[in-house]
Amino acid sequence: MRIGLIGTGRIGTFHSAALSRHPDVTSLVVADADPVRAAGLAARIGAVPAPSVDDVFTIGVDAVVITAATAAHAELIGRAARAGLPVFCEKPIALDLPGTLAALAEVETAGTVLQLGFQRRFDAGYAKAREAVRAGRLGRLHTVRALTSDPAPPPAAYLPLSGGLYRDCLVHDFDVLRWVTGREVTEVYATGSDAGPAMFREAGDVDTAAAVLTLDDGTLATATATRLNGAGYDVRMELAGELGQLAVGLDDRTPLASAEPAGPPAPAAPWPGFLERFAPAYEAELAAFVEVVRGERTNPCDGREALHALRIAEACERSRRERRPVTMTEIATG
C-alpha cells in the first residue's frame, strides 16, 4: 500500500514514523508546504519526498493522511474525496460548522472514507472504561469527570488559529465522553478564565475552562481544561456509578500528588506531553486506518463523529460568551 502524508510538523513527523514501520505500508510519500522540510523528513525515515502537496494527488497513492495546518484540512479533505482517495485527518475537519459540513458533504457525495484522529478511542484505558460501562459493571452512571491539562501554553501565534480551548483541546474530551458512555449531550453550561498570560486575552481565548454537560439519560458530566499545568500533562476521566467507580489516566506518571500523609507523592517522571502519553493510541489508530483502506474493518471514527464533538464545543463557546445554558438543539446539525 502506498500512502501520502501531507504535513511534516510535529504530529506529521510522529505519524510518518509509525506508517513507515507498518508492514502493509510499502511506500510512504511525504509532502509539506515547505518542500525542504518534507525532503528532510523523507531522508530520515526512508520515505519518498513529493515536490509539492499537489503532487500527492497525482503521484499514485492509495490513501492520504492529513497532518497539515488546521486551516488546510477541509480543502485537502475535499481534494482527496474528489480524487476518490480514503483519508485519515487529524482533528478538526475545520474550525467552524459551515466548513465542517462542506467537507463532509464532499466526502459523502464522493462515497469515500474519512477517518478522524480522535486517538483516545484507541487508548487502552478509555477502551476498558467503555467496556465496563457498556457491560453495566459500574451500574447506572450518575457522574463523569473529564479533564485535559497541558503543561505549557502553545506559541502565541497559534492561539488565533486554534479555534479556542473548547474546539482545540476539550473537543477530545467531548468525543470520548460520547464514545465511552454511548450517550448524547443535551445541554451545556460553560465558563472560562483568561487570567493567565496576556496572549490569551489578546487572542480572545481562555487559558482555563470548565463545562457542565447533561447527557440524555440524566448523567451529569464535567469537563475542564487548562494550558497552564506546570506539573505535567494530565488527561483523565473518572466514571462514577451506583455500583462502582473507575478512573482512566491514573498511573505512576500522572502528574498528581496526594496531600494525605500516606498518599503517593508526585511522580518522578510525569507525562511531558500528548505524544508520549498517547503514543500507542496514535499507532493503533493509523493501523486501524490501514485496515479500513484494505477493507478489513469499518471506519472506527468517521467525519460525522467529529461533527458531534465540534457541535458540543460550539455550544460551550456560545455558553461562555453569552453566560447561559445552551441546549444542543440550538446548534446546527447540517
Side-chain angles (χ1 to χ4, degrees), residues 29-298:
V29 178
V30 298
D32 194 273
D34 179 352
V36 174
R37 186 166 74 169
L41 174 61
R44 293 195 300 275
I45 65 171
V48 177
S52 71
V53 170
D54 292 340
D55 289 298
V56 172
F57 298 99
T58 61
I59 205 168
V61 297
D62 300 303
V64 175
V65 171
I66 298 171
T67 56
T70 295
H73 287 188
E75 189 263 337
L76 291 171
I77 289 169
R79 290 186 67 180
R82 294 190 295 275
L85 293 170
V87 175
F88 174 94
C89 184
E90 276 300 322
K91 66 86 189 166
I93 295 173
L95 288 177
D96 58 20
L97 284 171
T100 299
L101 291 168
L104 287 176
E106 290 224 59
V107 171
E108 290 164 4
T109 297
T112 52
V113 168
L114 170 61
Q115 181 182 327
L116 260 291
F118 282 116
Q119 85 284 352
R120 295 187 195 181
R121 293 179 176 223
F122 297 86
D123 177 76
Y126 284 106
K128 185 175 181 180
R130 184 178 194 261
E131 195 276 328
V133 170
R134 303 302 178 89
R137 290 200 292 273
L138 304 183
R140 183 189 67 86
L141 279 184
H142 50 74
T143 309
V144 181
R145 293 176 286 272
L147 67 89
T148 295
S149 300
D150 290 333
Y158 173 76
L159 293 177
L161 309 175
S162 71
L165 192 57
Y166 298 105
R167 300 183 189 94
D168 181 53
C169 184
L170 275 168
V171 71
H172 281 287
D173 296 272
F174 301 150
D175 174 71
V176 84
L177 173 65
R178 295 181 61 250
W179 187 75
V180 167
T181 66
R183 313 305 309 190
E184 298 295 344
V185 174
T186 60
E187 183 179 85
V188 309
Y189 185 78
T191 187
S193 170
D194 61 3
M199 64 182 183
F200 291 97
R201 293 185 291 279
E202 292 163 0
D205 197 5
V206 293
D207 57 70
T208 304
V212 177
L213 308 104
T214 302
L215 307 189
D216 58 12
D217 64 347
T219 301
L220 295 180
T222 60
T224 63
T226 184
R227 302 284 198 186
L228 303 166
N229 195 58
Y233 182 69
D234 192 5
V235 170
R236 279 179 284 133
M237 173 180 274
E238 299 170 1
L239 300 115
E242 292 179 345
L243 299 180
Q245 297 190 98
L246 194 61
V248 178
L250 185 60
D251 60 22
D252 60 2
R253 298 190 69 181
T254 304
L256 185 68
S258 174
E260 299 300 327
W271 293 110
F274 64 91
L275 289 178
E276 296 83 3
R277 166 66 178 85
F278 288 111
Y282 281 120
E283 190 137 356
E285 70 178 356
L286 289 173
F289 178 61
V290 171
E291 291 177 354
V292 170
V293 175
R294 290 169 59 92
E296 297 171 353
R297 69 177 293 174
T298 58

